[in-house]
Amino acid sequence: MINEHEHFMRAALREAERAAEMGEVPVGCVIVHDGRIIGKGYNQRESLQDPTAHAEVIAITAAAAYLGSWRLEDTRLYVTLEPCPMCAGAIILARVAEVYFGATDPKAGVCGTLMNLLEDERFNHQPALYPGLLEAECGAMLTGFFQAIRAKNRQDRLN
């Protein structure tokens, strides 16, 4: 039996698949309120040519529009990759209650890897943090994506 948290992380993985289909880094995010998804997003930096078009920012915007409020106090955010500084800041400012993430990000993750912005008591809000949800699946999607890019680049150099 799949638990509720896995169910929502699988929804985030489906969003990540949408990003991969577009050639974007496969990161997906959903935001849940009262047991239902009210916001979802996937990386769209390349297609929108927007450095802020991360999955979390897109999902936060959608959830705020759904609720008619920027305060996402009673929500849970599920994202396939550990949030970066920009996304962690947006999560704090939106007052998301809980954050679940899959794979850690050794280059930009600030929810425990490089630092932990979400649990920094100097901010006026600290969401509860739950790392490692479906970590292997989330990580495998990212690893496969980058391996395919490297293989294509090698093949292009040979041609």
Side-chain angles (χ1 to χ4, degrees), residues 10-54:
R10 291 196 189 288
L13 279 163
R14 287 191 295 277
E15 291 299 307
E17 289 169 2
R18 293 182 68 190
E21 290 167 3
M22 296 177 62
E24 298 276 357
V25 174
V27 177
C29 180
V30 298
I31 297 178
V32 176
H33 181 260
D34 290 337
R36 69 189 322 185
I37 295 172
I38 63 165
K40 54 188 175 179
Y42 56 90
N43 274 6
Q44 297 180 57
R45 288 189 314 171
E46 296 298 330
S47 40
L48 296 177
Q49 288 300 297
D50 179 353
T52 69
H54 288 205

Side-chain angles (χ1 to χ4, degrees), residues 63-156:
Y66 179 89
L67 292 176
S69 174
W70 62 268
R71 291 178 183 89
L72 304 182
E73 292 165 331
D74 296 322
T75 63
R76 291 179 288 168
L77 182 144
Y78 296 83
V79 63
T80 58
L81 181 65
E82 180 180 4
C84 73
M86 175 185 68
C87 293
I91 289 165
I92 291 167
L93 293 173
R95 297 193 174 89
V96 171
E98 299 176 5
V99 175
Y100 298 79
F101 73 82
T104 58
D105 184 351
K107 294 184 178 179
V110 295
C111 297
T113 298
L114 298 178
M115 64 185 66
N116 193 333
L117 289 182
L118 294 189
E119 293 181 341
D120 189 320
E121 293 180 358
R122 294 174 292 181
F123 292 112
N124 66 339
H125 175 72
Q126 295 83 39
L129 182 60
Y130 303 95
L133 181 61
L134 300 181
E135 181 174 12
E137 290 178 52
C138 294
M141 182 177 287
L142 288 155
T143 299
F145 176 81
F146 288 113
Q147 284 175 341
I149 287 176
R150 286 190 293 276
K152 182 185 181 315
N153 288 343
R154 278 192 300 275
Q155 188 61 39
D156 289 349

